[in-house]
C-alpha cells in the first residue's frame, strides 16, 4: 500500500474478504522505519451489520475516540456485499 498523507483526503482499502461472525478490525500506521503504530480498532458481528454500509464514527472507534489527531467528524465506512459462499 502507498503512503498516504492528511491532505490526500479519503482513503479506500479494497480487501474483497469474505467475513462472517465476530470481526476485529485494526488499523495501523506503518512508519518509514517499519514500526507499526496502532491508530484505531473496532469489533462487530456480521449478523448485526446493516445492509451495504456500516458507518463508525470517531466515538465508536477504540483508540481514535480520545485522540485529537482525528477530527471530530472522522468516520470509517465499511462496505459489504452479499456473497454466495
Amino acid at each position: 500500500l502507498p503512503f498516504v498523507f492528511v491532505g490526500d483526503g479519503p482513503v479506500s482499502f479494497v480487501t474483497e474478504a469474505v467475513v462472517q461472525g465476530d470481526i476485529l478490525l485494526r488499523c495501523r500506521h506503518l512508519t518509514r522505519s517499519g514500526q507499526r503504530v496502532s491508530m484505531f480498532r473496532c469489533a462487530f458481528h456480521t449478523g448485526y451489520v446493516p445492509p451495504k454500509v456500516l458507518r463508525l464514527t470517531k466515538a465508536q472507534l477504540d483508540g481514535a475516540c480520545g485522540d485529537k489527531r482525528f477530527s471530530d467528524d472522522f468516520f470509517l465506512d465499511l462496505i459489504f456485499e452479499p456473497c454466495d459462499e
Side-chain angles (χ1 to χ4, degrees):
L1 297 173
F3 277 89
V4 179
F5 300 94
V6 174
D8 292 343
V11 177
S12 296
F13 300 100
V14 179
T15 60
E16 296 186 18
V18 176
V19 294
Q20 183 177 0
D22 290 323
I23 306 297
L24 173 63
L25 178 68
R26 182 173 25 200
C27 186
R28 291 180 173 168
H29 170 71
L30 181 64
T31 66
R32 292 201 183 273
S33 65
Q35 180 183 9
R36 295 179 188 169
V37 179
S38 186
M39 294 174 56
F40 58 81
R41 66 187 173 279
C42 63
F44 60 92
H45 190 282
T46 57
Y48 296 100
V49 171
K52 303 212 183 239
V53 178
L54 172 62
R55 175 166 286 184
L56 300 170
T57 64
K58 175 183 174 178
Q60 296 169 308
L61 297 169
D62 296 337
C65 57
D67 192 333
K68 295 189 185 299
R69 293 176 293 180
F70 293 89
S71 65
D72 289 338
D73 60 352
F74 180 84
F75 63 90
L76 173 69
D77 279 344
L78 302 173
I79 302 170
F80 297 91
E81 295 181 11
C83 69
D84 297 330
E85 293 187 29

